[in-house]
Amino acid sequence: MDYTRLAELLFPDIDCDIDFYENKYPKRELPEGARVTRLGPSPTGFIHLGNLYGALVDERLAHQSGGVFFLRIEDTDNKREVEGAVDIIINSLKYFNVHFDEGATVDGEKGIYGPYRQRQRREIYRCFAKHLTKKGLCYPCFCSEEENEKRRNAQEAIKANPGYYGEWATCRNLSFEEVERRVNNGESYVMRFRAPENSERIIEVEDEIRGTLKMPENEMNFVVLKSDGIPTYHFAHLVDDYLMGTTHVVRGEEWLATLPYHHQLFEAFGFKIPVYCHTAVLMKIDAETQVKRKLSKRKDPEFSLDFYKSEGYLPEAVWEYLLTVLNSNFEEWRRDNPEADVHDFKFTTQKMSVSGALFDTDKLSDVSKNYIAHLDGEVVYKHLTEWAKECDEEYYHLLTKNPEFTLNMINIGRGGEKPRKDIASWRQSKEFYSFMFPETFKMEDSFPESVSEEDRCAILTRYIENYDHSQVKDDWFPALRAMGEEMGYAPKPQLYKKNPEMYKGHVGDIGAVIRVALTGRMNAPDIWEVQQVLGEDETLRRIKAAL
Ligand code: GLU
């Protein structure tokens, strides 16, 4: 077969070879060791945690090495495309402070390696396919859907591997005349890769997370161009990552199965294969079954990135959390460097899990609480009110009615060696802070049962009588202790434990009675601090109301 003739028949409009594009897109000039990574989302309108997780790896690898991170829109699957999806991708990632150096933008693109939207690269893919056709490594396949279905059924009946290969690859050896006749007839066809037959070769591919991968060479005659001339993922990956100078391909482990296709394509062209980083799938423990499973768009609201915005998780906290999932040594680093900028952490693919990364909302909460606990009160005020303005109007009014009060409230337990860790998300803070606002205060817990009703009234009455709002914090507790002692309560819990028959209880019980009266809860921040923020009138009003 004269492959050049075949190539001209199939691609008469393509009048350049691949060197035209190689010259158009020169090799990147970057410092030694710099990595070029890309995010290649499909514009389905749904952007999820898996995308962010991959983006974080891409972003760190590129920016830690002085390299480039770009955005390529992988829109080869027309059916799944949703209008406005590119805006959603860019804006959602921007919310998480993921910035691209290059690539698709909301209203166009930036960079010299474009177009960065795959559908606009049709001519380039066709040129590369023509090149492959000339080498005899690519051929047209006219099989219809019915024929493909028939083949699948026949393969199933004799338990043969499904797919287009070997004797099943019926279009593989069509004569030039046959192809010409069918093309001139206007028959629709796809272009397939001519894979070797009966290969016993084992190929090796470098994966930075998984080490050297060894797998049998591919024998499938997979599709490179669909009937409309749009490439499959495999072919677009080859062409784009080659021309755009990607050095590291970070993608989900679902692509491991077709990695031999990609290896074969890079080899067919004689291109250097990129380093792969196949990330583990995000899993969670199912709340009902307690079984580990993949995060699902349908079942798990936390899979969608919108969730974090609407719940009011700080993007920086989500970022910190993802780092704990991604790098097993991040938490230790954070413990040693509580105030350091997260970008000072040296991210590495060596510390990534290969066996399924476990996503855990409780852990996210902990990381987020810790993050917010270390923020300045003013910063919390700003973020919290910004969020409430957009997502919860009622709460917004409550928070901004008296900004000084709100700021003081936020500052309770903040600062110092051991800041309180109460708030995981802005939405959750509404529930937490409800005790502070007269409008939302309610008695949530009952008084401790260890104190009799009679004593409880006596404690509260005496507390009101002796209340001195100007008392400093250091004097407040000793005064409470003294009051308790007069009433027969041990000044220290240990004393009571040693001689329970000598006391009615201990100072902790006295504190608990006042705490419940003041906050409606058994668990609440420091009583003295809460009193100072609430003010004398509200403090006394609450204690009296509890009587
Ligand atoms: N469009 C592909 C996906 O969404 C990208 C995979 C890759 O990064 O190579 O899975």
Side-chain angles (χ1 to χ4, degrees), residues 90-108:
I90 293 177
N91 286 319
S92 308
L93 290 170
K94 199 193 262 168
Y95 176 74
F96 288 96
N97 289 317
V98 176
H99 298 288
F100 298 97
D101 306 305
E102 181 184 308
T105 60
V106 172
D107 47 9

Side-chain angles (χ1 to χ4, degrees), residues 38-43 48 51 58 72-76 80 118 233 237 241 249-252 254-255 276:
R38 83 293 189 277
L39 192 71
S42 309
H48 53 75
N51 296 123
D58 280 313
R72 180 171 69 223
I73 302 300
E74 307 216 324
D75 54 359
T76 55
R80 294 166 66 209
Q118 289 181 329
Y233 167 81
H237 159 47
D241 285 319
V249 169
V250 178
R251 62 184 184 186
E254 66 274 17
W255 294 109
Y276 289 93

Side-chain angles (χ1 to χ4, degrees), residues 313-367:
Y313 279 96
L314 268 183
E316 294 83 358
V318 177
W319 190 252
E320 294 252 334
Y321 170 66
L322 286 178
L323 275 173
T324 65
V325 178
L326 280 164
N327 260 198
S328 48
N329 54 331
F330 177 75
E331 269 185 283
E332 194 186 327
W333 177 85
R334 186 39 102 203
R335 260 197 305 276
D336 295 342
N337 304 277
E339 307 293 336
D341 185 320
V342 70
H343 292 104
D344 294 343
F345 172 71
K346 181 95 181 73
F347 177 80
T348 142
T349 44
Q350 265 87 55
K351 298 278 182 194
M352 287 177 71
S353 149
V354 293
S355 62
L358 199 60
F359 183 81
D360 170 358
T361 10
D362 291 340
K363 181 78 191 171
L364 166 67
S365 266
D366 286 348
V367 172

Side-chain angles (χ1 to χ4, degrees), residues 26 117 198 262 265 365 379 384 482:
R117 286 170 171 80
N198 306 316
H262 312 141
L265 282 170
S365 266
V379 175
L384 173 58

